[in-house]
Amino acid sequence: MLLDNHGRQTTYLRLAVTDRCNLRCRYCMPEEGIEFAKRQELLTFEEIIFLCEVLSDLGVNKVRLTGGEPLSRKSLPQLVKSLGNIFPKMAMTTNGILLPPVLDELVGYGLNHYNLSLDTLREDRFFEITRRDDFAGTKRALDELLAKGIKTKINVVVLKGTNDDELGDFVALTQENKVDIRFIEAMPFNDDDGNHHLYLSHQEMLGRIQERFPNIERFSDEANSSSVAYRVPGFKGQVGIIPAFSRSLCGSCNRLRLTPKGTMLNCLYSTKGLELLPLLRSGIGREDLADLITEFVKGKHKTGHDTQRLEQQGSVFASMTSIGG
Ligand code: SAM
Ligand code: SF4
């Protein structure tokens, strides 16, 4: 069992399979991209599977594939098939553009929860935010997920002055659709002032939503949820706010992260991690690996604020695309 020194059990792996992406969202990546990992620097599927088997033995029961854009990793369905034999619960965070052709296959392997990133319902704004002209691609994925009745959440990073006038429109989508909207506080990455001028807090978002839906009410959170749940009475879907920057939900965190290059991280705000790639390539055995990970997780800080204060000295990850969100 993976227990940290603050009594939390780790049961959920967020697995970033690539740092490459077909979009360039302003809050996530610089326009020119980042120095992407070279092929030999990426964990291979065999290495990922070995590691996941060890994590499963240690009590991890859920994996989320993320990135970069996870679907831009070559042959991803093969990996999903193997992970489906290891973890009872599988989910993916994706911009959806490459999803429709492989959706049925992925669902067949047990990947049946999707978080689709869509920050605007307006085509012109999609380009402004993502620097790519493919609103239709993400919208196609959303329509297909909903038509097939697959569990779907829409992730909306709320950006002051850019899409904060659309909060009500997103909430309105939950009236007739069984879809959950999750508004995310922008985190500081790759911007002159670390996205701070774009930042809108949880409470500010709630205020904006209440202007249009004054009867929105607090709802019970799923266990270990990273979002605070709300709903408009009578609507089919829910609304969540993810306090990614204010970090008010660290007390129930059950997550562990793995970067494409094989760095294990205890927190989204970590900059130091356990470098697993050299260990895996030097043939470390299952028991030794399990012992190392167990020790590593024990050292997880109590909150993301502590992690930032105690770990971040100077350099931070260049982009969310290297961590997976
Ligand atoms: N490409 C996939 C996607 O966009 O869904 C998966 C990777 S992306 C890094 C994972 C999540 O992190 C997305 O929902 C994205 O909107 C969010 N994200 C990226 N940069 C962020 C930032 N600076 N602040 C808050 N959320 C961010
Ligand atoms: Fe790509 Fe996702 Fe980052 Fe947007 S948020 S640039 S889709 S990795």
Side-chain angles (χ1 to χ4, degrees):
M1 183 152 57
L2 291 173
L3 269 185
D4 69 37
N5 287 332
H6 306 283
R8 296 166 298 193
Q9 189 188 349
T10 293
T11 55
Y12 175 13
L13 173 67
R14 297 184 60 108
L15 175 65
V17 290
T18 179
D19 53 6
R20 290 177 192 263
C21 188
N22 45 358
L23 299 181
R24 290 285 180 276
C25 302
R26 288 173 181 276
Y27 50 76
C28 177
M29 257 211 260
E31 182 148 27
E32 64 284 6
I34 56 166
E35 201 179 324
F36 294 112
K38 296 179 190 66
R39 202 189 159 139
Q40 65 274 19
E41 292 175 323
L42 289 178
L43 287 183
T44 63
F45 285 177
E46 289 71 26
E47 287 162 350
I48 292 173
I49 290 160
F50 178 72
L51 192 52
C52 286
E53 285 171 350
V54 170
L55 289 172
S56 163
D57 289 345
L58 290 169
V60 174
N61 57 25
K62 174 174 174 183
V63 67
R64 171 175 301 276
L65 289 118
T66 175
E69 175 45 47
L71 292 164
S72 63
R73 174 98 189 230
K74 198 164 162 245
S75 309
L76 189 80
Q78 273 178 30
L79 176 67
V80 173
K81 184 176 182 187
S82 304
L83 293 176
N85 295 324
I86 302 173
F87 296 113
K89 291 185 242 172
M90 285 197 289
M92 177 185 278
T93 302
T94 173
N95 61 42
I97 293 167
L98 302 170
L99 185 59
V102 289
L103 179 59
D104 290 342
E105 184 181 3
L106 297 180
V107 171
Y109 298 144
L111 203 172
N112 49 19
H113 284 64
Y114 292 82
N115 284 24
L116 194 74
S117 295
L118 178 63
D119 303 319
T120 177
L121 298 169
R122 291 171 39 171
E123 191 157 7
D124 53 329
R125 269 197 191 161
F126 187 88
F127 181 80
E128 196 188 319
I129 296 171
T130 67
R131 304 192 183 99
R132 296 290 185 273
D133 197 8
D134 209 351
F135 177 74
T138 301
K139 186 67 175 43
R140 193 176 308 124
L142 176 62
D143 292 344
E144 197 160 325
L145 286 163
L146 295 182
K148 292 187 167 158
I150 296 167
K151 183 102 176 111
T152 304
K153 295 179 180 172
I154 301 179
N155 283 1
V156 184
V157 178
V158 178
L159 307 165
K160 192 185 263 175
T162 304
N163 64 354
D164 54 339
D165 56 348
E166 290 189 64
L167 270 64
D169 295 341
F170 275 106
V171 174
L173 278 183
T174 65
Q175 181 162 9
E176 291 304 329
N177 298 293
K178 219 172 166 342
V179 65
D180 292 351
I181 308 292
R182 310 208 317 163
F183 296 116
I184 307 176
E185 289 178 347
M187 283 178 56
F189 275 101
N190 91 84
D191 203 326
D192 291 346
D193 75 345
N195 285 336
H196 281 308
H197 67 289
L198 300 172
Y199 174 72
L200 205 74
S201 71
H202 175 172
Q203 288 311 321
E204 286 172 304
M205 291 184 206
L206 188 59
R208 294 286 173 89
I209 297 169
Q210 281 166 334
E211 286 168 14
R212 179 145 155 207
F213 297 102
N215 58 342
I216 191 161
E217 60 186 22
R218 189 75 172 82
F219 194 57
S220 51
D221 298 323
E222 282 169 28
N224 305 110
S225 176
S226 58
S227 70
V228 182
Y230 298 89
R231 71 167 178 193
V232 180
F235 283 19
K236 291 184 180 153
Q238 286 179 33
V239 175
I241 298 182
I242 302 187
F245 186 68
S246 45
R247 285 159 267 180
S248 51
L249 296 179
C250 299
S252 58
C253 179
N254 63 346
R255 290 174 277 282
L256 188 62
R257 293 179 154 79
L258 189 65
T259 73
K261 289 180 171 180
T263 308
M264 185 163 270
L265 300 171
N266 272 324
C267 175
L268 193 48
Y269 285 82
S270 299
T271 48
K272 289 198 204 116
L274 182 60
E275 299 298 341
L276 292 173
L277 187 131
L279 297 171
L280 291 164
R281 293 206 177 152
S282 64
I284 187 169
R286 279 172 199 266
E287 276 186 28
D288 288 344
L289 185 57
D291 289 347
L292 270 176
I293 295 173
T294 306
E295 271 312 300
F296 175 69
V297 169
K298 275 188 196 160
K300 176 167 172 160
H301 295 298
K302 193 170 179 185
T303 67
H305 292 288
D306 285 354
T307 309
Q308 185 171 16
R309 191 168 45 85
L310 298 165
E311 283 189 18
Q312 286 187 5
Q313 286 146 359
S315 73
V316 293
F317 278 91
S319 162
M320 187 74 100
T321 199
S322 314
I323 311 176

